[in-house]
Amino acid sequence: MTRPTTANTDAARTDAEQAIAAAFDGVKDRLPGAAPVSARRAAAFETFAAAGLPTRRVETWKYTDLRALMREAKPLAQPPGEIGKVRARAAGALLADAELRRIVIADGVFVKDLSDLDGLEPGLSIGSLADALTRGDSEVTGQLGAQSPAEKDVAFALNTAFMGDGAVIRVAPGAKVARPIHLVFCFTGPVPAAVYTRSLLSVGAGAAVTLVESHEGPDGLDYQINTALDVVAGDGAEIDHVKIGLDGASALHVATLTAALGPHVRYNDLVVALGGAAVRNQLFVRCDGSGIALSLNGATMLKGRQHADATLVVDHAIGGCVSRETFKGVLDGESRSVFQGKIVVRPDAQKTDGKMASHALLLSETAEADHKPELEIFADDVVCGHGATAGSLDEDLLFYLMARGIPKKEAETLLIQSFVGEAIDTVTNEGIRDALTAATARWLEARE
């Protein structure tokens, strides 16, 4: 017996699904955007209404059963009050020593008075998504996930339906933004809630920018985050993107990245997962021009019963592109990591060079790593491959270090840092890279 695919009736819905439907009915007329945006929201919500929350029966959600994880849907978060803004000022401390332009999105709201919007570099504009939707900015609405395969994903559809605010960052053709931009996403409480944020990064031809996202919140609240970032890159653009997950220990966090890359783009991406109870980072990247150099990387460090899922689809629509995907996971306690990666090579994408690798380091006998790499190749002149490994620390290397007088815990730390450092070292900005290295060191110091 299968679940209905055309109508998810109240009788078949879970309590969480019914609560989501009720929440949408209550806010759909108050969300920003004119009739075309409202129609798009309604269509996205129908995607959810027809399918419900994804379960392990949905192949792309096989290892992360969102329906089981989301037993209840939290009410939508309220804009931050004065206490919330005080907490938001302290957010993003991990990167406090790096020279970044700080933009704050607290409880799903772009907070202008906490954001550094003065002295923007020539060709750079930063604003609120809610403001852009209210103005009817056709450029913004046209670039929000348009024609992305992510639109079929229920979690992304829910984000489109509920998207309220976020950042809109535009870099004009030829502009070189030297100072990295830091989007500080924080949930301040004081009660559990659901937050839907949507942001856009549009980079013109020949332009360059570094964007960092950090996501955090309190440990004592089981809040829910559904966030998305759309990236649109013109011919020859250069983009570095880093996403850092530092959510509270009880949080549910689902993030979607869509990227449409033009010819000769250099795009470098790193996803770091350190916090949260259950986290899913999904990336949908489309190579729409030749000569693209794409690098997608991940560094996951889990303990206790944390669950982190990295799912990505790299679509080579045009030939002559190079893509590399390297994901590293360090797992302690009863934690679980998931890697699902798919490289698609279209019939016209000859001369594609795509390689994907996922590696997990298991620090306990109860940790679990699941790997599911896939290749879909419809062209014959390509070089593509994938690999996956999972195992414990190399005993020979550990013995080698200990034989030279290094205590066991310090030796383990050196080996683990070396393992995960391969992903972190892909970050080109020294300040951001040093902050991430320090964060991994603190994680290791906290090990029992």
Side-chain angles (χ1 to χ4, degrees), residues 47 52-55 58-66 69 145 148-160 196-199 213 215 225-231 241 243 245 252-260 267 269-273 278-286 296-298 300 307-315 325 327 338-342:
T47 298
L53 293 171
T55 72
V58 179
E59 185 63 25
T60 54
W61 289 81
K62 179 178 179 180
Y63 301 103
T64 302
D65 190 331
L66 188 60
L69 290 169
S148 169
E151 287 190 321
K152 299 177 182 178
D153 179 82
V154 169
F156 185 65
L158 280 174
N159 183 279
T160 299
Y196 294 86
T197 55
R198 185 68 163 267
S199 298
E213 301 176 59
H215 297 257
I225 302 295
N226 185 325
T227 185
L229 170 68
D230 296 300
V231 177
H241 173 242
K243 177 178 180 289
L252 172 64
H253 181 111
V254 178
T256 305
L257 178 140
T258 75
Y267 184 83
D269 191 284
L270 172 66
V271 177
V272 179
V279 177
R280 177 176 167 103
N281 287 295
Q282 47 185 25
L283 299 83
F284 299 85
V285 182
R286 191 173 69 243
L296 303 179
N297 307 280
T300 299
H307 176 108
D309 178 336
T311 293
L312 60 96
V313 178
V314 177
D315 187 349
E325 296 81 45
F327 283 71
V338 176
F339 174 83
Q340 297 184 109
K342 178 187 289 187

Side-chain angles (χ1 to χ4, degrees), residues 31 43 63 68 86 121 201 230 271 282 314 327 358 368 386 403 431:
L31 291 168
Y63 301 103
V86 170
E121 291 93 328
L201 174 64
D230 296 300
V271 177
Q282 47 185 25
V314 177
F327 283 71
S358 60
E368 178 181 337
H386 62 68

Side-chain angles (χ1 to χ4, degrees), residues 31-32 41 108 129-131 133 159 162-166 196-198:
L31 291 168
R41 292 184 188 278
L129 176 75
D131 289 350
L133 294 179
N159 183 279
F162 282 99
M163 60 181 177
D165 208 353
Y196 294 86
T197 55
R198 185 68 163 267

Side-chain angles (χ1 to χ4, degrees), residues 298 300 325-331 337-339 356-363 367-373 386-394 419-420 422:
T300 299
E325 296 81 45
T326 303
F327 283 71
K328 297 292 191 82
V330 178
L331 314 177
S337 72
V338 176
F339 174 83
M356 177 169 53
S358 60
H359 306 286
L361 186 57
L362 307 178
L363 303 182
E368 178 181 337
D370 297 292
H371 306 273
K372 187 189 170 200
H386 62 68
T389 62
S392 57
L393 285 169
D394 189 313
F419 173 81
V420 77
E422 182 181 350

